Amino acid sequence: MSRDNYRTIGAIVGLVLGIGIMYLFSMSGIVPGALFGAGGCVLGGIVGEQIFDRRGQQ
């Protein structure tokens, strides 16, 4: 798989985790959803790239 695939999968997982954490904190609405969702996507994408780099794939 390519680096982009890892980034995409990480972003999707981050989105789901971000929304899950939002509900865990008993928050709801558009603004918290946007903040937690965007934050989860960005962090998930970064983690996905780092996993790709650690595996040493080209």
Side-chain angles (χ1 to χ4, degrees):
M1 283 195 318
S2 69
R3 183 183 189 107
D4 291 334
N5 289 348
Y6 274 84
R7 186 183 318 135
T8 301
I9 292 168
I12 292 170
V13 170
L15 174 65
V16 171
L17 289 176
I19 298 297
I21 291 171
M22 180 187 78
Y23 283 117
L24 185 67
F25 289 141
S26 300
M27 296 181 177
S28 63
I30 292 175
V31 174
L35 294 175
F36 280 93
C41 283
V42 170
L43 292 176
I46 291 171
V47 169
E49 286 185 350
Q50 296 212 348
I51 291 171
F52 177 84
D53 291 340
R54 286 180 190 232
R55 292 188 66 173
Q57 297 178 353
Q58 297 299 328

